Amino acid sequence: MKVLFADDEESMRILVKRILADAGHECVLVEDGAQALAALSEKPDVVVLDAMMPVIDGYEACRRLRERDSRIPVMILTARSDIIDKRIGFRSGADDYVVKPFDPNELLLRLEALYRRGTLSDAPGPERLVYRDLEVLFENREVRLRGERVELTRKEFDLLQLLAKQPGKAFSKEQIVDSVWGDDFAGESTSLAVLVRRLREKIERSSSEPEYIQTVWGIGYRFGA
């Protein structure tokens, strides 16, 4: 696993590099968001961005990264635990969020979980789905709405893929959490609802009357009718 780690604190860069090196992973170290964006040419498997950095902060760097690549896993690292900061991070396109000070083992496990999800092959199923104005290319992990490409985060696409490969099937919240988050689910009851809302905002004409990601009351969600 190659991790791109951006943090303006030298002590934090040294610590994370040691954690990753001891586990046999490679680490590319940079000092701010601008350098992180430039270092994408290193083709990292996972990107970790400190929230508060000079030049370009972690949130803005994540947003700009998502404009280039919707698939690479991104973790936001911050000294704050305020829920508002988490919302900013997830809305910028982050896949995970870790608060400093962190347990080294937890950080490593969560990074490896992001990496595993990034390298898993797609589940068996159709290579392409077209439903109303939406087109999903599963192999390429691309989504087009009325012919225009829609940029989704990794979790947003994983959710859409899970539901769209079996249109009409109702998936329980537990099934969705297990598929999208896996073992590193943080346990926040609002996480799935936030993810569904973000996805609906990107592909639905009306989030209150969704055509694609529909709620099945008392169970979970399904794709289409």
Side-chain angles (χ1 to χ4, degrees):
M1 176 173 66
K2 179 189 285 189
V3 176
L4 170 58
F5 182 75
D7 196 305
D8 59 321
E9 295 183 26
E10 183 179 8
S11 59
M12 187 61 63
R13 296 196 302 272
I14 293 173
L15 171 63
V16 171
K17 183 175 182 178
R18 186 172 69 246
I19 292 171
L20 291 167
D22 288 347
H25 301 305
E26 183 180 353
C27 190
V28 178
L29 300 175
V30 296
E31 300 178 13
D32 56 56
Q35 292 181 12
L37 293 171
L40 291 175
S41 60
E42 297 282 344
K43 299 189 182 302
D45 299 304
V46 181
V47 174
V48 182
L49 302 168
D50 183 58
M52 298 293 106
M53 295 186 293
V55 187
I56 298 176
D57 65 32
Y59 301 126
E60 178 63 16
C62 183
R63 188 189 66 78
R64 296 190 190 184
L65 184 155
R66 284 286 171 246
E67 293 176 352
R68 303 185 190 182
D69 191 326
S70 64
R71 295 176 293 178
I72 187 170
V74 177
M75 175 186 289
I76 294 289
L77 191 65
T78 179
R80 303 180 187 178
S81 58
D82 195 308
I83 188 64
I84 294 176
D85 287 332
K86 290 187 178 182
R87 288 173 181 167
I88 294 173
F90 287 129
R91 286 173 180 169
S92 69
D95 297 288
D96 202 359
Y97 190 103
V98 172
V99 178
K100 296 185 287 188
F102 51 80
D103 178 87
N105 289 327
E106 179 187 0
L107 178 69
L108 182 61
L109 288 172
R110 294 175 76 160
L111 285 172
E112 289 177 339
L114 285 177
Y115 174 66
R116 285 196 304 272
R117 288 207 302 272
T119 56
L120 287 175
S121 59
D122 291 341
E127 295 181 359
R128 175 173 175 265
L129 176 139
V130 178
Y131 182 76
R132 299 184 181 178
D133 293 330
L134 189 71
E135 180 182 11
V136 184
L137 304 174
F138 296 111
E139 184 174 355
N140 296 334
R141 296 179 68 87
E142 290 185 11
V143 176
R144 299 186 183 278
L145 183 65
R146 292 181 286 279
E148 297 293 325
R149 182 167 179 170
V150 179
E151 295 296 337
L152 301 182
T153 67
R154 178 173 298 278
K155 281 192 176 69
E156 289 166 356
F157 185 88
D158 287 346
L159 171 61
L160 177 60
Q161 175 175 250
L162 175 67
L163 302 182
K165 281 196 170 183
Q166 300 186 65
K169 176 180 177 179
F171 287 84
S172 70
K173 294 178 181 179
E174 291 76 15
Q175 288 175 310
I176 296 172
V177 166
D178 185 62
S179 177
V180 175
W181 277 271
D183 294 336
D184 65 324
F185 181 60
E188 297 178 23
S189 59
T190 59
S191 297
L192 177 56
V194 170
L195 183 64
V196 169
R197 186 185 72 242
R198 282 184 0 216
L199 179 57
R200 283 174 171 168
E201 288 173 351
K202 292 183 177 181
I203 66 174
E204 302 284 3
R205 292 181 184 274
S206 171
S207 296
S208 61
E209 298 180 2
E211 301 175 65
Y212 307 113
I213 309 302
Q214 299 183 349
T215 300
V216 182
W217 297 109
I219 300 178
Y221 301 92
R222 69 183 177 193
F223 182 88

